PDB file of all heavy atoms in Angstrom:
ATOM      1  N   GLU A 233      84.246  32.277  88.299  1.00  0.00           N
ATOM      2  CA  GLU A 233      83.755  33.375  89.149  1.00  0.00           C
ATOM      3  C   GLU A 233      82.315  33.724  88.774  1.00  0.00           C
ATOM      4  O   GLU A 233      81.445  33.884  89.649  1.00  0.00           O
ATOM      5  CB  GLU A 233      84.657  34.592  88.989  1.00  0.00           C
ATOM      6  CG  GLU A 233      84.284  35.710  89.933  1.00  0.00           C
ATOM      7  CD  GLU A 233      85.137  36.935  89.733  1.00  0.00           C
ATOM      8  OE1 GLU A 233      86.329  36.804  89.421  1.00  0.00           O
ATOM      9  OE2 GLU A 233      84.604  38.038  89.890  1.00  0.00           O
ATOM     10  N   ASN A 234      82.039  33.821  87.458  1.00  0.00           N
ATOM     11  CA  ASN A 234      80.655  34.099  87.034  1.00  0.00           C
ATOM     12  C   ASN A 234      79.720  33.028  87.498  1.00  0.00           C
ATOM     13  O   ASN A 234      78.619  33.285  87.988  1.00  0.00           O
ATOM     14  CB  ASN A 234      80.573  34.185  85.504  1.00  0.00           C
ATOM     15  CG  ASN A 234      81.058  35.520  85.001  1.00  0.00           C
ATOM     16  OD1 ASN A 234      81.233  36.450  85.759  1.00  0.00           O
ATOM     17  ND2 ASN A 234      81.262  35.622  83.688  1.00  0.00           N
ATOM     18  N   ALA A 235      80.147  31.748  87.330  1.00  0.00           N
ATOM     19  CA  ALA A 235      79.271  30.633  87.703  1.00  0.00           C
ATOM     20  C   ALA A 235      78.913  30.759  89.176  1.00  0.00           C
ATOM     21  O   ALA A 235      77.741  30.551  89.563  1.00  0.00           O
ATOM     22  CB  ALA A 235      79.985  29.310  87.416  1.00  0.00           C
ATOM     23  N   VAL A 236      79.866  31.131  90.016  1.00  0.00           N
ATOM     24  CA  VAL A 236      79.595  31.275  91.471  1.00  0.00           C
ATOM     25  C   VAL A 236      78.695  32.487  91.698  1.00  0.00           C
ATOM     26  O   VAL A 236      77.684  32.406  92.388  1.00  0.00           O
ATOM     27  CB  VAL A 236      80.917  31.388  92.249  1.00  0.00           C
ATOM     28  CG1 VAL A 236      80.659  31.774  93.709  1.00  0.00           C
ATOM     29  CG2 VAL A 236      81.720  30.078  92.158  1.00  0.00           C
ATOM     30  N   LYS A 237      79.088  33.642  91.067  1.00  0.00           N
ATOM     31  CA  LYS A 237      78.351  34.895  91.294  1.00  0.00           C
ATOM     32  C   LYS A 237      76.886  34.758  90.915  1.00  0.00           C
ATOM     33  O   LYS A 237      76.003  35.265  91.587  1.00  0.00           O
ATOM     34  CB  LYS A 237      78.927  36.006  90.415  1.00  0.00           C
ATOM     35  CG  LYS A 237      80.036  36.776  91.041  1.00  0.00           C
ATOM     36  CD  LYS A 237      80.371  38.074  90.294  1.00  0.00           C
ATOM     37  CE  LYS A 237      80.436  37.986  88.811  1.00  0.00           C
ATOM     38  NZ  LYS A 237      81.143  39.129  88.171  1.00  0.00           N
ATOM     39  N   TYR A 238      76.625  34.062  89.777  1.00  0.00           N
ATOM     40  CA  TYR A 238      75.256  34.001  89.279  1.00  0.00           C
ATOM     41  C   TYR A 238      74.578  32.699  89.654  1.00  0.00           C
ATOM     42  O   TYR A 238      73.583  32.305  89.063  1.00  0.00           O
ATOM     43  CB  TYR A 238      75.248  34.220  87.741  1.00  0.00           C
ATOM     44  CG  TYR A 238      75.866  35.554  87.391  1.00  0.00           C
ATOM     45  CD1 TYR A 238      77.118  35.662  86.793  1.00  0.00           C
ATOM     46  CD2 TYR A 238      75.203  36.742  87.711  1.00  0.00           C
ATOM     47  CE1 TYR A 238      77.695  36.895  86.514  1.00  0.00           C
ATOM     48  CE2 TYR A 238      75.762  37.980  87.437  1.00  0.00           C
ATOM     49  CZ  TYR A 238      77.001  38.058  86.848  1.00  0.00           C
ATOM     50  OH  TYR A 238      77.552  39.282  86.575  1.00  0.00           O
ATOM     51  N   SER A 239      75.105  32.017  90.723  1.00  0.00           N
ATOM     52  CA  SER A 239      74.483  30.792  91.211  1.00  0.00           C
ATOM     53  C   SER A 239      73.374  31.088  92.197  1.00  0.00           C
ATOM     54  O   SER A 239      72.557  30.231  92.519  1.00  0.00           O
ATOM     55  CB  SER A 239      75.518  29.894  91.901  1.00  0.00           C
ATOM     56  OG  SER A 239      76.118  29.038  90.974  1.00  0.00           O
ATOM     57  N   ASP A 240      73.411  32.322  92.712  1.00  0.00           N
ATOM     58  CA  ASP A 240      72.434  32.707  93.750  1.00  0.00           C
ATOM     59  C   ASP A 240      72.481  31.765  94.945  1.00  0.00           C
ATOM     60  O   ASP A 240      71.418  31.383  95.472  1.00  0.00           O
ATOM     61  CB  ASP A 240      71.033  32.724  93.135  1.00  0.00           C
ATOM     62  CG  ASP A 240      70.505  34.164  93.043  1.00  0.00           C
ATOM     63  OD1 ASP A 240      71.261  35.080  93.387  1.00  0.00           O
ATOM     64  OD2 ASP A 240      69.336  34.334  92.619  1.00  0.00           O
ATOM     65  N   GLY A 241      73.660  31.327  95.296  1.00  0.00           N
ATOM     66  CA  GLY A 241      73.811  30.464  96.468  1.00  0.00           C
ATOM     67  C   GLY A 241      73.474  29.007  96.187  1.00  0.00           C
ATOM     68  O   GLY A 241      73.605  28.159  97.074  1.00  0.00           O
ATOM     69  N   LYS A 242      73.015  28.713  94.926  1.00  0.00           N
ATOM     70  CA  LYS A 242      72.650  27.318  94.633  1.00  0.00           C
ATOM     71  C   LYS A 242      73.800  26.619  93.952  1.00  0.00           C
ATOM     72  O   LYS A 242      74.230  27.026  92.886  1.00  0.00           O
ATOM     73  CB  LYS A 242      71.426  27.295  93.698  1.00  0.00           C
ATOM     74  CG  LYS A 242      70.119  27.449  94.407  1.00  0.00           C
ATOM     75  CD  LYS A 242      68.970  27.311  93.425  1.00  0.00           C
ATOM     76  CE  LYS A 242      68.547  28.651  92.891  1.00  0.00           C
ATOM     77  NZ  LYS A 242      67.783  28.648  91.681  1.00  0.00           N
ATOM     78  N   GLY A 243      74.310  25.589  94.542  1.00  0.00           N
ATOM     79  CA  GLY A 243      75.432  24.916  93.923  1.00  0.00           C
ATOM     80  C   GLY A 243      75.030  23.560  93.440  1.00  0.00           C
ATOM     81  O   GLY A 243      73.855  23.253  93.393  1.00  0.00           O
ATOM     82  N   PRO A 244      75.996  22.713  93.158  1.00  0.00           N
ATOM     83  CA  PRO A 244      77.393  23.122  93.043  1.00  0.00           C
ATOM     84  C   PRO A 244      77.696  23.664  91.651  1.00  0.00           C
ATOM     85  O   PRO A 244      76.904  23.501  90.724  1.00  0.00           O
ATOM     86  CB  PRO A 244      78.126  21.798  93.255  1.00  0.00           C
ATOM     87  CG  PRO A 244      77.182  20.766  92.708  1.00  0.00           C
ATOM     88  CD  PRO A 244      75.793  21.295  92.955  1.00  0.00           C
ATOM     89  N   VAL A 245      78.877  24.291  91.542  1.00  0.00           N
ATOM     90  CA  VAL A 245      79.410  24.657  90.234  1.00  0.00           C
ATOM     91  C   VAL A 245      80.317  23.516  89.809  1.00  0.00           C
ATOM     92  O   VAL A 245      81.139  23.050  90.597  1.00  0.00           O
ATOM     93  CB  VAL A 245      80.194  26.001  90.334  1.00  0.00           C
ATOM     94  CG1 VAL A 245      81.088  26.180  89.116  1.00  0.00           C
ATOM     95  CG2 VAL A 245      79.238  27.169  90.478  1.00  0.00           C
ATOM     96  N   ARG A 246      80.115  23.027  88.582  1.00  0.00           N
ATOM     97  CA  ARG A 246      80.957  21.919  88.112  1.00  0.00           C
ATOM     98  C   ARG A 246      81.919  22.384  87.052  1.00  0.00           C
ATOM     99  O   ARG A 246      81.528  22.979  86.038  1.00  0.00           O
ATOM    100  CB  ARG A 246      80.093  20.815  87.502  1.00  0.00           C
ATOM    101  CG  ARG A 246      79.618  19.876  88.520  1.00  0.00           C
ATOM    102  CD  ARG A 246      79.110  18.540  87.988  1.00  0.00           C
ATOM    103  NE  ARG A 246      78.344  17.939  89.066  1.00  0.00           N
ATOM    104  CZ  ARG A 246      77.061  18.144  89.266  1.00  0.00           C
ATOM    105  NH1 ARG A 246      76.357  18.848  88.414  1.00  0.00           N
ATOM    106  NH2 ARG A 246      76.440  17.603  90.305  1.00  0.00           N
ATOM    107  N   VAL A 247      83.210  22.093  87.267  1.00  0.00           N
ATOM    108  CA  VAL A 247      84.188  22.430  86.247  1.00  0.00           C
ATOM    109  C   VAL A 247      84.744  21.123  85.708  1.00  0.00           C
ATOM    110  O   VAL A 247      85.336  20.326  86.465  1.00  0.00           O
ATOM    111  CB  VAL A 247      85.357  23.260  86.846  1.00  0.00           C
ATOM    112  CG1 VAL A 247      86.317  23.706  85.759  1.00  0.00           C
ATOM    113  CG2 VAL A 247      84.817  24.470  87.624  1.00  0.00           C
ATOM    114  N   SER A 248      84.507  20.836  84.421  1.00  0.00           N
ATOM    115  CA  SER A 248      84.961  19.555  83.850  1.00  0.00           C
ATOM    116  C   SER A 248      86.014  19.785  82.802  1.00  0.00           C
ATOM    117  O   SER A 248      85.922  20.723  81.999  1.00  0.00           O
ATOM    118  CB  SER A 248      83.799  18.804  83.190  1.00  0.00           C
ATOM    119  OG  SER A 248      82.651  18.908  83.985  1.00  0.00           O
ATOM    120  N   LEU A 249      86.972  18.917  82.813  1.00  0.00           N
ATOM    121  CA  LEU A 249      88.073  18.948  81.832  1.00  0.00           C
ATOM    122  C   LEU A 249      87.960  17.688  81.022  1.00  0.00           C
ATOM    123  O   LEU A 249      88.035  16.572  81.564  1.00  0.00           O
ATOM    124  CB  LEU A 249      89.379  18.985  82.640  1.00  0.00           C
ATOM    125  CG  LEU A 249      90.596  19.563  81.960  1.00  0.00           C
ATOM    126  CD1 LEU A 249      90.313  20.925  81.366  1.00  0.00           C
ATOM    127  CD2 LEU A 249      91.707  19.670  82.989  1.00  0.00           C
ATOM    128  N   LEU A 250      87.719  17.828  79.705  1.00  0.00           N
ATOM    129  CA  LEU A 250      87.456  16.653  78.888  1.00  0.00           C
ATOM    130  C   LEU A 250      88.422  16.570  77.719  1.00  0.00           C
ATOM    131  O   LEU A 250      88.272  17.266  76.717  1.00  0.00           O
ATOM    132  CB  LEU A 250      86.007  16.727  78.337  1.00  0.00           C
ATOM    133  CG  LEU A 250      84.933  16.987  79.416  1.00  0.00           C
ATOM    134  CD1 LEU A 250      83.620  17.435  78.793  1.00  0.00           C
ATOM    135  CD2 LEU A 250      84.730  15.739  80.272  1.00  0.00           C
ATOM    136  N   PRO A 251      89.452  15.738  77.846  1.00  0.00           N
ATOM    137  CA  PRO A 251      90.450  15.611  76.754  1.00  0.00           C
ATOM    138  C   PRO A 251      89.921  14.846  75.563  1.00  0.00           C
ATOM    139  O   PRO A 251      89.197  13.868  75.725  1.00  0.00           O
ATOM    140  CB  PRO A 251      91.613  14.844  77.400  1.00  0.00           C
ATOM    141  CG  PRO A 251      91.304  14.796  78.863  1.00  0.00           C
ATOM    142  CD  PRO A 251      89.830  14.907  78.993  1.00  0.00           C
ATOM    143  N   HIS A 252      90.188  15.334  74.347  1.00  0.00           N
ATOM    144  CA  HIS A 252      89.871  14.634  73.105  1.00  0.00           C
ATOM    145  C   HIS A 252      91.183  14.483  72.339  1.00  0.00           C
ATOM    146  O   HIS A 252      92.219  14.949  72.787  1.00  0.00           O
ATOM    147  CB  HIS A 252      88.868  15.418  72.276  1.00  0.00           C
ATOM    148  CG  HIS A 252      87.616  15.737  72.995  1.00  0.00           C
ATOM    149  ND1 HIS A 252      86.666  14.796  73.277  1.00  0.00           N
ATOM    150  CD2 HIS A 252      87.158  16.894  73.541  1.00  0.00           C
ATOM    151  CE1 HIS A 252      85.675  15.358  73.952  1.00  0.00           C
ATOM    152  NE2 HIS A 252      85.949  16.636  74.134  1.00  0.00           N
ATOM    153  N   ALA A 253      91.087  13.902  71.148  1.00  0.00           N
ATOM    154  CA  ALA A 253      92.319  13.624  70.398  1.00  0.00           C
ATOM    155  C   ALA A 253      93.065  14.904  70.042  1.00  0.00           C
ATOM    156  O   ALA A 253      94.259  15.045  70.302  1.00  0.00           O
ATOM    157  CB  ALA A 253      91.972  12.836  69.133  1.00  0.00           C
TER     158      ALA A 253
END
Side-chain angles (χ1 to χ4, degrees):
E233 185 182 326
N234 279 349
V236 171
K237 271 194 317 197
Y238 301 108
S239 271
D240 249 3
K242 277 185 267 162
V245 163
R246 272 198 197 89
V247 185
S248 317
L249 204 51
L250 309 164
H252 304 288

